Amino acid sequence: MACVLEAPLRMSVLSEVTASSRHYVDRLFDLDPQKVLQGVIDMKNAVIGNNKQKANLIVLGAVPRLLYLLQQETSSTELRTECAVVLGSLAMGTENNVKSLLDCHIIPALLQGLLSPDLKFIEACLRCLRTIFISPVTPEDLLYADTTVISHLMALLSRSRYTQEYICQIFSHCCKLQHWHSCGFKSLPQPLLCANGPDHQTNLFNHGAVQNIAHLLVSTSYKVRMQALKCFSVLAFENPQVSMTLVNVSVDGELLPQIFVKMLQRDKPIEMQLTSAKCLTSMCRAGAIRTDDSCIILKTLPCLVRMCSKERLLEERVEGAETLAYLIETDVELQRIASITDHLIVMLADYFKYPSSVSAITDIKRLDHDLKHAHELRQAAFKLYASLGANDEDIRKKIIETENMMDRIVNGLSESGIKVRLAAVRCLHSLSRSVQQLRTSFQDHAVWKPLMKVLQNAPNEILVVASSTLCNLLLEFSPSKENVAFQAEQKIKSDILRGLSTEQLFQLLSDSDVNVLMKTLGLLRNLLSTRPHIDHIMSTHGKQIMQAVTLILEGEHNIEVKEQTLCILANIADGTTAKELIMTNDDILQKIKYYMSHSNAKLQLAAMFCVSNLIWNEEEGSQERQDKLRDMGIVDILHKLSQSSDPNLCDKAKTALQQYLA
């Protein structure tokens, strides 16, 4: 691949290339090694803090020549070291600079340089590697392409405090998971797999990362301690194997959890407090530390709540809230403790007002940064509210009563950033578990309307949560109010179908993600409730619904999906006119018969509900329906099931048979 910048940028840069820049590159080709060395040193001084100069030199072909000199055994160690320094400086420019360096295969060249006996050269190569690997454009898997690299880096950890700092930093940036705090924590994906085998965490763990890095936590160098801590925070995340190991490792007679607790004390730098809290959080979520351990309740949780204070910087508040959301997400007691610590619920309301006034931030660069990243605060607040309100009705009530909370959620559902929308949906989903709030706040704010918009062309991650939330909103417990509900007015149900669009609904019913499919089936089942509504919906959408039901019952789906589908059929069978769509469809009738004799009792029971609703003799046309099903052999199956050892199957079969005797 050509070692150049992208075409549009190259044109703009080339127009500004100066004779001086060309002179720097020309000197790299001098026959006198001393002049070449001086040329590289002068180039180093010229590019420091000068992005335009860096871009000029890359366009003029400096990188391939610098890499050639770095790899030549005839080059002096001093020259090779200076080349690594210049390359590192070029990498500190723009992302395009890093892409150009990667195109020139800089990583294999630098990794080869680590085999040198000279420490200064090794440190320069590591510093450059560190700068390249922390860039978002660098694929992490490049570190793992050669299986010997990790072992060699582990061996270099003992050489100097610089090798320790840079290697730990490289490891922490090259130990990537697909999502950190994606906030749907229960369903976080597994770590990314490397092309050559195990995931990053396992690869580093198997090469002795824990043992080799643990003692660096007590280094005299703050930078080394900090990078070692960051390394452990990514190694332990969602990883029981690493977490269970960490909990038993001791350094100078002190266990790692104790060291982490010391690092999150108030007198330590904020960065250290936060990262230690992340380590302890990961260990707690992995089961290595109990949720009622004092280091969690009295140290980690209060530390993370402190990070949510408006005195902290934006990025600290974001990280604090997201880590706290992850810590408390599955534990009711931690949710209760967090909710009453330092007025957290009210404190989070400030996340939506930031920056509240220009005068509060005197640094213009900081203000500009915060305005660009304010959406991250809103996202973090939604995530933490979702975790806080996951189980406790009183906490949900407090959250909803926080100023303008429902308006903020409604606004969050229509934000341009997908991450904020997802976090807002998750927050809404958490709060929608409350029967009381479904009757009041949710109704008053008609939250289902923006939720329907969210469903349009949304990625799967949002569809799963949004359709789940919609299912909750479809449960109506108050007959006096019109709501998007299980017992909602027919007009509202028609609005839902129109808003979601039947095309999208049926697209969701053929989705490969089982979660999306289950939520959509739940939505459809709730829509098809009460006879007039069943008949109305089936009169307008019956053909597509029956088609979708047939495809699902024929497909390779799990028991839960098929059970939910048979329950939808049972609802259709309960309609007055809708049941004829089943009776005139021999294919569906045969499927009901098949599932009555299935090996799974849940499916048998669901199929029998269909039959019971079809043959109920108080309804018009029941005699003809009973005769048709008898001719199909349904009565014979019912007789067999009435002898079943399963009491539910037995009772249901006997009830159905009574319809024939009445």
Side-chain angles (χ1 to χ4, degrees):
M1 193 184 289
C3 178
V4 290
L5 288 173
E6 292 163 8
L9 187 58
R10 185 169 73 246
M11 293 306 296
S12 64
V13 171
L14 273 172
S15 63
E16 296 179 22
V17 170
T18 60
S20 157
S21 296
R22 196 177 300 280
H23 170 65
Y24 285 118
V25 179
D26 290 344
R27 289 168 70 190
L28 300 181
F29 292 88
D30 200 291
L31 295 175
D32 183 344
Q34 204 53 41
K35 286 183 179 175
V36 173
L37 173 61
Q38 192 55 50
V40 174
I41 292 169
D42 290 346
M43 186 183 283
K44 175 181 73 176
N45 295 329
V47 297
I48 292 172
N50 189 334
N51 278 350
K52 191 186 290 184
Q53 186 70 280
K54 289 174 186 179
N56 287 351
L57 291 170
I58 288 172
V59 168
L60 290 168
V63 176
R65 184 61 181 172
L66 287 167
L67 283 171
Y68 172 80
L69 295 170
L70 181 137
Q71 293 175 91
Q72 282 300 100
E73 289 186 13
T74 52
S75 297
S76 68
T77 304
E78 189 182 0
L79 174 58
R80 296 172 79 191
T81 304
E82 291 294 347
C83 286
V85 171
V86 175
L87 289 163
S89 189
L90 295 177
M92 282 181 181
T94 64
E95 287 183 3
N96 276 317
N97 289 9
V98 177
K99 284 179 188 171
S100 296
L101 294 170
L102 291 172
D103 288 345
C104 295
H105 308 292
I106 188 171
I107 288 178
L110 292 170
L111 291 174
Q112 190 65 30
L114 299 181
L115 299 173
S116 162
D118 186 87
L119 183 58
K120 289 286 176 215
F121 178 52
I122 290 172
E123 289 173 350
C125 288
L126 283 172
R127 193 181 304 116
C128 186
L129 280 166
R130 179 274 312 268
T131 305
I132 290 168
F133 274 119
I134 64 176
S135 168
V137 301
T138 308
E140 297 85 19
D141 285 349
L142 290 173
L143 185 69
Y144 304 91
D146 180 341
T147 53
T148 64
V149 168
I150 303 298
S151 303
H152 188 61
L153 288 172
M154 292 294 178
L156 289 174
L157 276 170
S158 61
R159 295 294 299 274
S160 74
R161 72 182 182 87
Y162 294 112
T163 64
Q164 291 167 349
E165 179 192 337
Y166 303 146
I167 291 170
C168 283
Q169 205 169 354
I170 289 167
F171 285 162
S172 57
H173 279 275
C174 294
C175 186
K176 283 284 186 282
L177 297 144
Q178 284 168 301
H179 296 279
W180 167 259
H181 294 327
S182 68
C183 204
F185 309 110
K186 291 185 185 104
S187 55
L188 272 169
Q190 291 304 303
L192 275 170
L193 292 180
C194 297
N196 64 332
D199 62 76
H200 299 168
Q201 288 174 320
T202 306
N203 201 323
L204 293 172
F205 179 81
N206 290 345
H207 281 92
V210 173
Q211 293 75 11
N212 283 300
I213 296 171
H215 71 280
L216 303 182
L217 291 169
V218 295
S219 165
T220 54
S221 160
Y222 171 76
K223 286 183 176 178
V224 171
R225 291 200 304 280
M226 199 56 238
Q227 293 306 330
L229 192 57
K230 285 182 177 176
C231 221
F232 281 134
S233 81
V234 293
L235 277 172
F237 180 60
E238 284 278 298
N239 195 313
Q241 184 186 31
V242 173
S243 294
M244 293 295 185
T245 305
L246 287 180
V247 85
N248 294 313
V249 171
S250 63
V251 179
D252 294 347
E254 200 166 21
L255 287 169
L256 285 196
Q258 295 169 314
I259 294 174
F260 293 149
V261 166
K262 280 186 177 177
M263 288 176 149
L264 54 73
Q265 288 171 351
R266 289 171 186 261
D267 62 338
K268 296 291 187 288
I270 296 298
E271 177 188 36
M272 183 172 273
Q273 290 184 47
L274 249 177
T275 315
S276 304
K278 281 169 76 171
C279 289
L280 289 161
T281 294
S282 290
M283 291 165 76
C284 179
R285 283 301 305 265
I289 299 176
R290 288 166 55 104
T291 54
D292 59 359
D293 192 298
S294 63
C295 78
I296 298 298
I297 292 176
L298 302 178
K299 301 292 183 181
T300 309
L301 188 148
C303 170
L304 290 169
V305 173
R306 281 202 306 276
M307 296 303 143
C308 299
S309 154
K310 60 182 173 189
E311 278 72 50
R312 300 266 55 88
L313 292 175
L314 179 142
E315 49 271 34
E316 293 162 359
R317 295 171 79 188
V318 168
E319 203 167 357
E322 295 202 337
T323 307
L324 182 56
Y326 181 53
L327 173 66
I328 68 173
E329 191 220 2
T330 58
D331 191 273
V332 187
E333 197 48 42
L334 288 181
Q335 289 158 13
R336 287 182 184 140
I337 295 167
S339 73
I340 56 168
T341 303
D342 291 352
H343 308 288
L344 177 64
I345 291 174
V346 177
M347 197 194 298
L348 282 177
D350 286 333
Y351 277 46
F352 297 95
K353 311 172 193 170
Y354 189 80
S356 53
S357 69
V358 176
S359 59
I361 302 175
T362 51
D363 181 343
I364 296 299
K365 275 190 179 175
R366 166 53 63 177
L367 178 62
D368 183 53
H369 168 274
D370 285 4
L371 287 169
K372 284 177 185 166
H373 293 269
H375 66 278
E376 292 176 21
L377 273 177
R378 297 191 293 277
Q379 180 186 324
F382 282 137
K383 287 179 182 180
L384 185 44
Y385 277 138
S387 283
L388 284 164
N391 295 286
D392 190 288
E393 188 74 12
D394 290 338
I395 297 175
R396 289 190 199 116
K397 188 169 183 289
K398 281 181 192 167
I399 292 170
I400 287 171
E401 287 172 355
T402 305
E403 57 173 318
N404 305 325
M405 189 61 207
M406 294 309 296
D407 290 333
R408 282 171 179 153
I409 292 175
V410 169
N411 292 338
L413 292 173
S414 24
E415 284 216 25
S416 56
I418 188 165
K419 289 182 178 178
V420 183
R421 289 207 306 277
L422 177 57
V425 172
R426 289 199 185 285
C427 182
L428 186 62
H429 180 240
S430 180
L431 300 176
S432 72
R433 293 173 180 143
S434 164
V435 174
Q436 181 59 38
Q437 301 311 327
L438 283 174
R439 287 178 178 163
T440 53
S441 307
F442 280 50
Q443 198 160 278
D444 298 339
H445 288 79
V447 291
W448 66 274
K449 288 179 181 175
L451 194 60
M452 300 302 294
K453 285 184 183 171
V454 167
L455 285 165
Q456 305 295 331
N457 305 314
N460 277 0
E461 200 172 9
I462 283 186
L463 285 178
V464 173
V465 194
S467 50
S468 249
T469 310
L470 205 52
C471 284
N472 287 351
L473 297 183
L474 280 162
L475 295 167
E476 171 58 282
F477 302 93
S478 170
S480 63
K481 292 190 178 181
E482 181 185 68
N483 190 5
V484 192
F486 176 60
Q487 294 166 356
E489 294 300 324
Q490 186 172 301
K491 175 184 168 294
I492 299 289
K493 290 188 177 178
S494 298
D495 285 349
I496 292 171
L497 274 171
R498 253 198 315 277
L500 185 57
S501 88
T502 49
E503 186 186 335
Q504 188 168 7
L505 182 70
F506 296 114
Q507 201 177 335
L508 293 174
L509 286 172
S510 56
D511 199 287
S512 58
D513 186 318
V514 71
N515 290 317
V516 174
L517 182 53
M518 279 297 284
K519 302 301 180 192
T520 311
L521 288 169
L523 171 60
L524 189 55
R525 185 177 168 185
N526 285 346
L527 287 170
L528 291 166
S529 58
T530 72
R531 282 184 184 170
H533 300 172
I534 294 167
D535 290 335
H536 176 74
I537 289 170
M538 292 306 288
S539 70
T540 52
H541 301 94
K543 188 179 173 187
Q544 297 109 305
I545 289 173
M546 295 303 285
Q547 210 172 356
V549 164
T550 306
L551 286 170
I552 292 169
L553 291 177
E554 283 176 353
E556 294 292 318
H557 295 289
N558 65 29
I559 298 296
E560 286 71 25
V561 167
K562 295 203 170 183
E563 180 190 17
Q564 188 79 293
T565 308
L566 286 167
C567 288
I568 289 170
L569 266 184
N571 283 13
I572 295 168
D574 193 39
T576 305
T577 56
K579 55 167 53 86
E580 287 309 307
L581 286 164
I582 297 176
M583 290 307 299
T584 55
N585 189 326
D586 288 341
D587 188 19
I588 285 286
L589 288 172
Q590 288 297 332
K591 283 179 171 52
I592 292 170
K593 179 183 174 183
Y594 166 77
Y595 284 108
M596 283 178 74
S597 304
H598 198 275
S599 57
N600 185 280
K602 284 183 178 179
L603 297 182
Q604 288 179 285
L605 203 57
M608 272 202 289
F609 272 109
C610 297
V611 170
S612 291
N613 286 345
L614 291 172
I615 63 174
W616 205 255
N617 59 32
E618 292 171 10
E619 292 165 11
E620 193 181 336
S622 61
Q623 191 58 54
E624 291 86 345
R625 290 193 294 274
Q626 286 181 5
D627 292 344
K628 181 166 184 176
L629 294 180
R630 180 190 278 110
D631 294 343
M632 284 178 59
I634 295 290
V635 175
D636 296 336
I637 299 173
L638 287 172
H639 277 298
K640 273 186 196 168
L641 290 171
S642 68
Q643 308 300 314
S644 170
S645 57
D646 185 313
N648 290 331
L649 287 176
C650 178
D651 291 349
K652 196 68 188 168
K654 285 176 180 173
T655 305
L657 285 168
Q658 282 168 3
Q659 299 305 307
Y660 278 93
L661 301 172

